[in-house]
């Protein structure tokens, strides 16, 4: 009665209530009790299965420690992580997990990042670089300056994304919920007609004997088997299984709707740097123009790039530090998206970026620089060209595998979009087997290219990227996929799917999990409707009894749950 009052008059509780009261009216007490008992058992199994799916997802991801050691002067005190404020310093011993996001204060230290990325290879982090909650310190005691509150750490955001995913319903879930609202009053009306029509027929045909209890019993069987509870619960359980299986592999779906959407993808567009390549550049050469020496040029460019998070900038800064150069920390830079950076030094504007930046500012530079196959960073002071630095990036270990896997899934329209020079992008495309590669694109150029692809309604596009400049195309694609470990916060927030491991081959894995989940969910729907239609027909014909209807209904629920749990095997 509470459920009927809280939800609606026509739901599975109404059907069960009428069936039980009807069985008692016919003095079929055991059958009435059985309806309640087996319905309760089915509900218990469903509740346990949903709870287990939620628990599995949470236990996979929630590896945050329950305490943190805060350092104050010469004293250390143990407190709850949610009481630690940004700016405070915490100490973490070798073998312990980091409780909060922050920056490393020690010298180089090795960290196990498997909880966040799924990768077993230890990661070396340098002083002042970011460390994240959930990482394990491998080799020494480290001190970390906390940068974010406990509830805003990267791991907390990941947990929130996955747990909120349950609120974003897939089309199949929404369909079944809408269907159940119509279906329940319809079957209630049909049950009434099972009793009423024979009665009216008996009035017109006196030779036909109408026995109320017989036809009422048939109507009760009809009501019991028509209960939609197995459908309503087993379908979201299937999506829980898919989200959990993906989470275990470092793939975060932000909702069941994206599990469905990714199954329709037939075009995959990749960003290059940090997505298909390691994003770990190494300086190959420093080529001054003659107006300053190589070390002065390197120091100037590194000082401008110092506050940028771009992999190229980090490589230049690291190279300058390795050369023992002291950087100018007082510069205030302005980012020019797709071009580079500019700042003011001694009253003169300093430009650091690609060849397009200097062309835009009408600053002359040697034409042969455009044909250099490596990535180049040019520098100009005022209107004078000062020189360039060349850098090289390498494909990720699984970049070729990522493309091959997609092709095995019959996804052959694979493209690369990049702001890098066409020569660099074409070289990478040839190495990993991509036929279409487009370079020299500004962020708006990527948007225009994606809009051109979307103009063809047959294209269902997934865009895979990692940077802030990828945010517009991630939002524009049918499914946006962000690289979570190296990716920017903006890209991760905008994307529909986040790959924590930064492995492009996981794109194909995400599509496979989506297809498996979609197939199992629709198997559940088909099986439930098939069994119900069969027993509904038998019940209306007087062949099936209440016992058979009860066992069929509970059986459908249990089979649907077992079928959905198959997806959980991906988690092992």
């Amino acid at each position: 009665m509470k459920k009927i009052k809280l939800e609606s008059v026509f739901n599975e509780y109404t059907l069960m209530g009428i069936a039980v009261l009807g069985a008692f009216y016919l003095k079929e007490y055991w059958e009435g009790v059985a309806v309640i008992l087996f319905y309760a058992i089915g509900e218990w199994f469903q509740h346990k299965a949903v709870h287990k799916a939620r628990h599995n997802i949470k236990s996979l991801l929630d590896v945050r420690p329950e305490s943190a050691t805060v350092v104050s002067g010469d004293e250390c005190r143990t407190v709850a992580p949610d009481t630690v404020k940004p700016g405070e310093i915490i100490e973490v011993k070798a073998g312990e997990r980091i409780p909060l996001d922050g920056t490393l204060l020690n010298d180089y230290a090795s960290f196990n990042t498997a909880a966040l990325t799924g990768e077993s290879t230890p990661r070396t982090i340098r002083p002042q670089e970011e460390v994240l909650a959930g990482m394990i310190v491998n080799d020494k005691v480290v001190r970390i300056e906390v940068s974010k509150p406990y509830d805003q750490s990267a791991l907390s955001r990941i947990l929130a994304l996955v747990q909120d995913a349950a609120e974003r319903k897939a089309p199949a879930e929404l369909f079944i919920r809408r269907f159940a609202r119509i279906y329940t009053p319809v079957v209630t009306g049909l049950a009434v007609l099972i009793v009423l029509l024979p009665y009216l027929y008996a009035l017109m045909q006196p030779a036909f004997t109408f026995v109320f209890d017989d036809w009422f019993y048939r109507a009760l069987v009809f009501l019991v088997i028509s209960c939609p509870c197995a459908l309503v619960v087993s379908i979201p359980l299937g999506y829980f299984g898919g989200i959990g299986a993906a989470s275990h592999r470092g793939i975060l779906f932000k909702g069941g709707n994206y599990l469905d959407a990714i199954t329709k993808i037939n075009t995959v567009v990749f960003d290059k740097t940090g997505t298909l390549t390691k994003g770990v550049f190494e300086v190959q050469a420093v080529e001054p123009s003659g107006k300053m020496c190589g070390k002065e040029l390197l120091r100037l460019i590194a000082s401008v790039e110092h506050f940028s998070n771009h992999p190229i900038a980090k490589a230049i800064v690291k190279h300058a530090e390795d050369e023992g150069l002291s950087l100018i920390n007082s510069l205030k830079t302005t980012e020019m998206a797709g071009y580079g950076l500019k700042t003011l030094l001694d009253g003169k504007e300093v430009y650091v970026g690609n060849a397009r930046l200097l062309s835009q500012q009408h600053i002359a530079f040697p034409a042969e620089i455009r044909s250099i196959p490596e990535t180049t960073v040019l520098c100009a002071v005022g209107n004078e060209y000062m020189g360039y630095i060349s850098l090289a990036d390498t494909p990720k270990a699984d970049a070729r595998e990522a493309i091959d896997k997609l092709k095995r899934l019959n996804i052959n329209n694979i493209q690369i979009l990049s702001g890098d020079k066409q020569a660099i992008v074409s070289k990478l495309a040839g190495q990993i087997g991509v036929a279409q590669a487009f370079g020299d694109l500004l962020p708006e150029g990527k948007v225009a290219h994606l809009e051109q692809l979307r103009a063809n309604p047959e294209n269902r596009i997934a865009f895979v990227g990692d940077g802030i400049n990828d945010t517009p195309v991630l939002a524009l694609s049918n499914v946006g996929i962000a690289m979570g470990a190296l990716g920017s916060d903006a890209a991760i927030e905008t994307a529909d799917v986040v790959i924590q491991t930064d492995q492009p081959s996981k794109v194909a894995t995400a599509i496979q999990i989506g297809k498996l989940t979609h197939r199992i969910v629709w198997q559940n729907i088909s099986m439930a409707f098939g069994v119900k239609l069969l027993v509904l027909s038998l019940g209306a014909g007087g062949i099936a009894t209440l016992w058979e209807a009860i066992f069929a209904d509970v059986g459908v629920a249990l089979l649907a749950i077992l079928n959905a749990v198959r997806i959980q095997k991906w988690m092992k």
Side-chain angles (χ1 to χ4, degrees):
M1 291 299 291
K2 285 180 181 177
K3 287 285 187 180
I4 291 169
K5 185 178 179 181
L6 287 172
E7 295 179 14
S8 65
V9 174
F10 291 108
N11 54 36
E12 64 265 32
Y13 303 104
T14 306
L15 302 183
M16 293 295 104
I18 294 171
V20 171
L21 292 174
F24 285 2
Y25 165 78
L26 296 171
K27 296 184 172 55
E28 299 287 351
Y29 301 115
W30 283 112
E31 294 186 22
V33 170
V35 169
I36 298 171
L37 176 63
F38 284 105
Y39 178 75
I41 291 171
E43 285 282 287
W44 182 82
F45 273 114
Q46 291 164 358
H47 172 75
K48 291 295 287 183
V50 170
H51 177 74
K52 185 174 184 295
R54 285 183 181 272
H55 175 74
N56 283 344
I57 293 170
K58 193 168 190 287
S59 63
L60 280 170
L61 298 173
D62 197 354
V63 290
R64 296 170 297 185
E66 295 180 357
S67 63
T69 303
V70 177
V71 179
S72 301
D74 295 329
E75 295 183 1
C76 294
R77 67 182 194 279
T78 302
V79 299
D82 56 0
T83 64
V84 181
K85 297 176 181 177
E88 291 191 282
I89 296 171
I90 59 172
E91 185 175 88
V92 185
K93 296 174 182 172
E96 293 182 347
R97 289 189 189 273
I98 296 172
L100 299 120
D101 291 1
T103 53
L104 183 65
L105 300 180
N106 295 60
D107 294 332
Y108 297 86
S110 175
F111 294 84
N112 180 338
T113 63
L116 295 175
T117 67
E119 292 298 296
S120 57
T121 306
R123 178 182 167 193
T124 300
I125 294 179
R126 299 180 297 153
Q128 297 305 315
E129 286 190 339
E130 186 179 42
V131 290
L132 302 175
M135 290 181 176
I136 299 174
V137 184
N138 281 336
D139 52 357
K140 63 176 77 171
V141 177
V142 298
R143 291 195 174 185
I144 297 162
E145 183 177 341
V146 176
S147 59
K148 294 176 184 174
Y150 182 71
D151 59 354
Q152 293 178 23
S153 69
L155 195 57
S156 295
R157 292 205 315 275
I158 290 167
L159 275 167
L161 287 177
V162 176
Q163 291 172 345
D164 289 348
E167 304 304 318
R168 298 182 176 94
K169 306 299 181 186
E173 283 186 83
L174 296 172
F175 163 73
I176 288 299
R177 288 178 180 273
R178 288 194 299 266
F179 178 77
R181 293 192 194 105
I182 302 166
Y183 168 84
T184 307
V186 168
V187 296
T188 305
L190 290 174
V192 172
L193 290 176
I194 287 173
V195 179
L196 185 61
L197 290 178
Y199 171 72
L200 295 175
Y201 183 75
L203 292 178
M204 294 183 290
Q205 297 288 338
F208 177 76
T209 304
F210 173 76
V211 180
F212 174 78
D213 286 2
D214 288 349
W215 288 101
F216 186 53
Y217 185 83
R218 295 184 189 190
L220 297 183
V221 173
F222 190 90
L223 285 176
V224 170
I225 193 58
S226 64
C227 177
C229 51
L231 281 170
V232 171
V233 175
S234 66
I235 291 167
L237 180 61
Y239 286 105
F240 275 133
I243 290 169
S247 299
H248 186 65
R249 279 159 179 72
I251 304 166
L252 304 181
F253 281 90
K254 293 187 181 178
N257 51 334
Y258 303 120
L259 269 168
D260 261 8
I262 205 167
T263 64
K264 301 178 178 69
I265 294 301
N266 58 19
T267 301
V268 178
V269 181
F270 287 95
D271 173 48
K272 185 185 79 71
T273 305
T275 302
L276 287 172
T277 63
K278 291 178 181 178
V280 180
F281 288 81
E282 290 184 357
V283 173
Q284 305 296 307
V286 179
E287 300 289 347
S289 65
K291 296 183 175 67
M292 62 172 61
C293 71
K295 287 197 172 184
E296 288 175 335
L297 176 65
L298 175 60
R299 178 174 180 261
L300 178 58
I301 294 177
S303 298
V304 176
E305 297 275 21
H306 182 56
F307 296 103
S308 173
N309 287 322
H310 195 281
I312 291 174
K314 289 182 177 180
I316 293 172
V317 172
K318 180 180 181 299
H319 187 71
E321 290 174 348
D322 291 344
E323 291 289 318
L325 301 177
S326 59
L327 304 184
I328 307 166
N329 293 317
S330 59
L331 297 179
K332 292 184 179 180
T333 59
T334 303
E335 183 171 356
M336 303 170 74
Y339 292 93
L341 302 165
K342 74 171 181 178
T343 188
L344 202 64
L345 179 65
D346 297 332
K348 292 184 178 181
E349 288 186 326
V350 177
Y351 297 95
V352 172
N354 52 33
R356 289 196 304 269
L357 174 61
L358 268 63
S359 296
Q360 184 197 54
Q361 300 300 319
H362 307 293
I363 300 171
F365 60 91
E368 59 267 21
I369 290 176
R370 293 185 183 275
S371 61
I372 296 173
E374 288 83 19
T375 298
T376 54
V377 177
L378 286 69
C379 177
V381 178
N383 291 318
E384 288 190 87
Y385 165 71
M386 292 295 165
Y388 73 89
I389 294 176
S390 64
L391 304 96
D393 190 10
T394 54
K396 289 183 178 177
D398 65 330
R400 178 75 194 216
E401 180 191 355
I403 305 305
D404 292 342
K405 277 187 172 181
L406 289 171
K407 289 178 179 178
R408 286 198 292 271
L409 292 172
N410 294 319
I411 299 173
N412 295 306
N413 188 5
I414 304 170
Q415 303 182 12
I416 300 174
L417 304 183
S418 177
D420 276 344
K421 292 184 291 188
Q422 185 64 52
I424 298 172
V425 183
S426 297
K427 181 181 177 182
L428 173 68
Q431 289 175 323
I432 63 176
V434 176
Q436 301 181 70
F438 304 89
D440 297 309
L441 294 175
L442 296 173
E444 54 266 32
K446 291 182 180 180
V447 170
H449 187 91
L450 215 69
E451 286 175 340
Q452 187 178 355
L453 285 174
R454 290 204 65 170
N456 182 350
E458 293 183 3
N459 287 337
R460 305 295 295 174
I461 305 157
F463 182 84
V464 190
D466 71 319
I468 292 175
N469 63 331
D470 295 325
T471 304
V473 274
L474 284 167
L476 187 62
S477 58
N478 298 107
V479 178
I481 303 174
M483 293 294 173
L486 293 176
S488 71
D489 287 352
I492 292 168
E493 291 296 330
T494 306
D496 309 312
V497 183
V498 179
I499 297 177
Q500 290 175 269
T501 62
D502 275 341
Q503 294 174 288
S505 60
K506 291 292 179 73
V507 174
T509 304
I511 294 172
Q512 287 174 315
I513 291 174
K515 288 186 174 181
L516 175 66
T517 304
H518 186 265
R519 184 167 67 248
I520 284 179
V521 164
W522 283 101
Q523 282 177 4
N524 287 347
I525 293 172
S526 303
M527 177 184 63
F529 275 122
V531 172
K532 284 181 180 292
L533 286 172
L534 175 63
V535 182
L536 282 172
S537 303
L538 295 175
I543 300 171
T545 65
L546 262 181
W547 286 105
E548 288 158 346
I550 293 164
F551 283 119
D553 193 42
V554 173
V556 165
L558 293 178
L559 284 172
I561 291 169
L562 291 173
N563 204 9
V565 170
R566 281 170 52 198
I567 309 172
Q568 297 291 323
K569 291 182 180 178
W570 278 67
M571 300 170 72
K572 297 181 180 178

